[in-house]
Amino acid sequence: MIYRNLKSCLDDLERTKQLIRIDEPVDPYLEAGAIQRRVFQAGGPALLFTNVKDTKFPMAANIFGTLARTKFIFRSTLRRVEAMLSAKADPARVLKKPALWPGLALGAWHTLPKTVSGGPILDHTTSISELPQLISWPMDGGAYVTLPLVYSESPSKPGYMGSNLGMYRIQLSGNEFERDREVGLHYQIHRGIGYHHAEAIARKTQLPVNVFVGGPPAMTLAAIMPLPEGIAEMLFAGALGGHRVPMVKRPGELPMPAEADFCIRGYIDPAVQKPEGPFGDHLGYYSLAHDFPVMRVSEVLHRAGAIWPFTTVGRPPQEDTMFGAFIHELTAELVPQVFGGVHEVHAVDAAGVHPLLLAVGSERYVPYAGDRQPQELITNGLSLLGTTQTSLSKYVILAAREDDPGLSCHDVPGFFRHVLERLDLSRDLHFITRTTMDTLDYSGISLNQGSKVLWTAAGSPKRTLATTLQGLTLPDGFSNLRFFAPGMLVLSGPPHAQPRDTHDPAMENLCQILARGDLQGFPLIVVADDADFTADSWDNFLWVTFTRSDPATDTYGLNGFTHCKHWGCASMVVDARLKTYHAPALSNVAEIEKKVDELALPGRPLYGIL
């Protein structure tokens, strides 16, 4: 089925019992977000809130809350899009299958937006303050649009081919924003709108921006699709949506989807920034208030019967996890084409996506060598850090397919075991310091700046990973040494007390004392605030270890050394404690969670779901 707008999608989900209505009053302050997160965690249905406090607009959530439901929504076009992507990955294979050609031609035709003179989006106008004021976490700086489709065009190349459609959070209220006249526009580094903004700043001109909310579900996926530079997201939206997207184009204005539920029209003043945030973000912490561009609001449009879609983000997994899983399935075949020599990648959701990237690469540079060592793998890693969204990765861990043709980086425990058996810690750690990093990651030396590291493992095993722990002496303040997995230990450390961009003498002392013991079978040791929590599960271990550490600042080593600017060690120690400069972790509000529990009582709308 082809969905040309949000309502047709929600109606179909309700008809197939994949959506429930919540007609009881729901507060967009904390309560709606908590309900969505709990229902997502339960693998529950999409939600339609019909009685939202302080707004006339209903809200919809958890639309993409399971991978099966996401595939259901795009069931009519998924095969065609897969064929289009396959054609890009391997054109020769498609040429051998003429049966695919009509579908490919139709998909290509659908990529072209269709300009129309009018549409439902022009039905009504409203104001920013009349929109649903969603606040998901108690420290959020104001209300946010959490599924915004932010559209801009290159000032030097206007039109769809020079356009960008991205999902950049929009702050509707709070801080210093003028009520109903300004909203905050937060975009991270390495985002398409940044190039348009840079052009506008260079020209000293305003950058027109439209923010769409709702509309064809395909536009939501298109906005987060990691497309190659130069391919407009609007084109992909048409292919995935199965129809040419009708766009209303009024003279002198940016186009807007005729079937969108809402459109906030405005512009970015190149000379103005204001504090945006805090905001509870997808790494599981707040991103704090920083100066970001301000969008001056010209007009707020909405269709008759408009519905406000939303999600909430927090420590993974959340609904955006399903976006990532869906996109991975679509694009897996493209990986070897985009990154030469790389067979498989896994941006680990449990670690917040960008902090940890696992990859299976190739090691063919010296096939006649007696034992492989990482050479091509280093090239693979630098390629991953050199283009697309993988360039935001912080820890990049690579293994060679030649050592185990069945190795998959989606088997995280097996992949870590394979790597730690083969990692030569005197040779195979490659740091990149004072470089860019994800805007949302506060582990670095400043906003947008920190370090990256490649762990490259190839060849025969270097060690047998230990599975039992002998008694070890720990310095004061360190305790609760725990075995986590083969070759991996976790222990609790004292509260961090150092300034940013500084090594901790307590960690260096720990390494000196641990070096006196026999830890050859434990190449990876992690220091955390709470060893029991960290070692309780792989999800906890990945989240704590890789979101709370900067590779250069927080990697220590037993018998560490520096030789000709190369650092190595015997066993690696990662300081994964919360630092004095880290943003606080997100936590639920007990009173709100109790209200959600009550919605699951017999006779209430979430009975049988939670």
Side-chain angles (χ1 to χ4, degrees), residues 64-80:
F64 306 98
T66 69
L67 184 58
R69 187 157 62 246
T70 303
K71 290 181 176 180
F72 174 84
I73 290 170
F74 300 112
R75 64 195 181 280
S76 298
T77 59
L78 193 53
R79 291 290 178 87
R80 187 183 306 149

Side-chain angles (χ1 to χ4, degrees), residues 142-175:
Y144 278 88
V145 188
T146 56
L147 287 176
L149 309 174
V150 182
Y151 181 87
S152 62
E153 294 181 355
S154 165
S156 64
K157 187 185 175 183
Y160 297 120
M161 296 304 178
S163 70
N164 179 75
L165 183 72
M167 192 171 288
Y168 317 122
R169 71 179 189 236
I170 302 295
Q171 184 172 349
L172 297 176
S173 64
N175 298 351

